[in-house]
Amino acid sequence: MKEGIPGDLIKYPRTGHSITFVDQITIYEKVLKAIERAYHASWVRGEQRRNYDDLILRPQHSSPPACCQKANLLNTLNFVDAYKVLGYNESLYGDFLSVLRNDPHLVARCLVLGEAQNQEAMHTAAHTIFASVYANGLLPEDETHILNLLKHLIELQLATSENPRRQLRHGSCAFSQIYRAYVEMLPQSKVFLTAALHQPIIQLLMEDELFLDIDPSKAAVRFPPEERLRRFGEEGTPEYAAALGKYRAWTISKLVKITNRFLESIKEAMNCFPWSLSWLVRILYEVLLSAKVTEMREVSAICVDLIFGLFLCPALVTPEPHGICDAPISHISRFNLMQVAQILQVLAMSRWETPDPRLNDLYSQFDKEVVASLLDNIVEQEGSESPPCLVGYNNPLLGLERSSFLCPETHLTSLISFIQTVLPEFPEDDESRKEWETLLGRIKPPPPALQPSNISPTTANSNTTSPSVTPSKKNLLGRVKSNRNRSSKSQCEGDGDSVKSGEDTVSITTNSSNGGITHSGSATGLGNNTEEGDVVPPILEYDRVLVISLRGGGSCDCPGLMAEEKVLFTLQVEFTT
């Protein structure tokens, strides 16, 4: 040892290196735990979103008490390692889900064949595939699989349909189910919708609370008889006609002003339009033109429906679920939003369809090419036939790998049953059929806990209240339900015309998958036949979610132990993007 150099100082570099390595391992474990919690929260968020959609878009299948109960149950779910439930069969179930995940074409074939057999079973299977197999498109690799699945559904379903536009607008086909779930969970879509719609919606809410009817025959009907007499005078007189015409001119000027505000905001936000949706619209356009199942005008109309009817206009009419606006929206403002949505859809189709001649005084004040040019910009973009998710996109999640599937027990059982049902529809000499029969033949029958009929006492006993819904909340839920019934009845009596008009003007698809939900009756049974103060029985079929290992997953390297080639490749990717 050299004189003047303390012994501790010589040992410090080696000790410091050891401490740093231990810290790396500790940090790595903390990061893994944080990612695991985020993954679980993402899955629960997707289920909460579907629970909300059932209440808002499918009230005949839900009610406020049922929605509150299900939300509480979803927040208390346990995530259990699958080997504790499935035993050695866990690897077989993991192989089954891994094959599904890596073969979108096979998934598309199963969904199309299953829809022809049992549409409700197809909806449940589509929900499980999107939420569990593809993890709601959380990671870029899963998003790529979803886009490939949608492309194959276009080729197998829409391109072979006699009327693809009607099938798409109906909203119950496999493509519509997956597409709607995808755009609802896509982060880039929320950025675009907020940038395009937030400001004009807020400005509309600040306007006068009057119905802005597109249909001139309904302008005066909106007012009570006394108010109508005060505003327009005696019906049938020249003064009445003049006052009504003046009001019609005022209504048109307001609609034109508001709609132009939306158009300008949408044009300014087009640079935020999700690139994956642009790719999907372009693929849809090219595939349908190549298939020659319909004329070019109809193909363009289908692309318009995909952008406006299934994406932009539903968010415009109901901005709350998309996080666009958190301000309360009255039924009058909601109706006016519906009118704006209808105008946008008509303008988008004005190049191929002539608007109603009775409404020329309205549509003649717009530039017919404004909205149609937006579609041209999307369709004419250059791009490859492969989804661009993993190429040239600076995604902070790029490089992350998923190591497991999250799937409730009942969903897993129903998905296997669905695949077994559609397999006989495959040709006998199909290699995929032989492979799947071999794979499914190795899977042992699920244990009793996996049978849908064997629900845990917490969720199966309809005579007891869920642990998440205490007796103190019971009367509150009953009052919420009762108030909802009274308000719904009042709205139907007072504003039934406006609600009906809104439904006739906007193409908002409301069919959603019902995987994991037990319907306890019709709308009447849920809303009116239950005594006040009673709580609807729990409607969640499971109280735990299985964490099933993904075959080949979890191969991430610990920090400090990554191979040199992988480090250089990662740096190269970051540099090029």
Side-chain angles (χ1 to χ4, degrees), residues 43-62:
W43 190 89
V44 172
R45 171 180 169 270
E47 298 302 305
Q48 294 284 22
R49 176 61 181 263
R50 294 176 185 90
N51 182 33
Y52 179 84
D53 286 345
D54 279 336
L55 178 64
I56 300 299
L57 302 178
R58 304 179 68 197
Q60 70 274 21
H61 293 306
S62 185

Side-chain angles (χ1 to χ4, degrees), residues 77-128:
L77 286 175
N78 295 318
F79 292 83
V80 181
D81 290 332
Y83 73 86
K84 298 179 180 178
V85 178
L86 303 176
Y88 68 91
N89 282 322
E90 190 230 0
S91 61
L92 299 177
Y93 285 99
D95 290 345
F96 164 74
L97 295 175
S98 297
V99 172
L100 268 185
R101 178 175 183 255
N102 295 324
D103 197 346
H105 183 263
L106 178 65
V107 175
R109 291 178 65 187
C110 291
L111 290 177
V112 172
L113 292 173
E115 182 177 346
Q117 293 182 351
N118 188 330
Q119 194 171 73
E120 195 68 23
M122 184 277 294
H123 290 172
T124 303
H127 162 75
T128 304

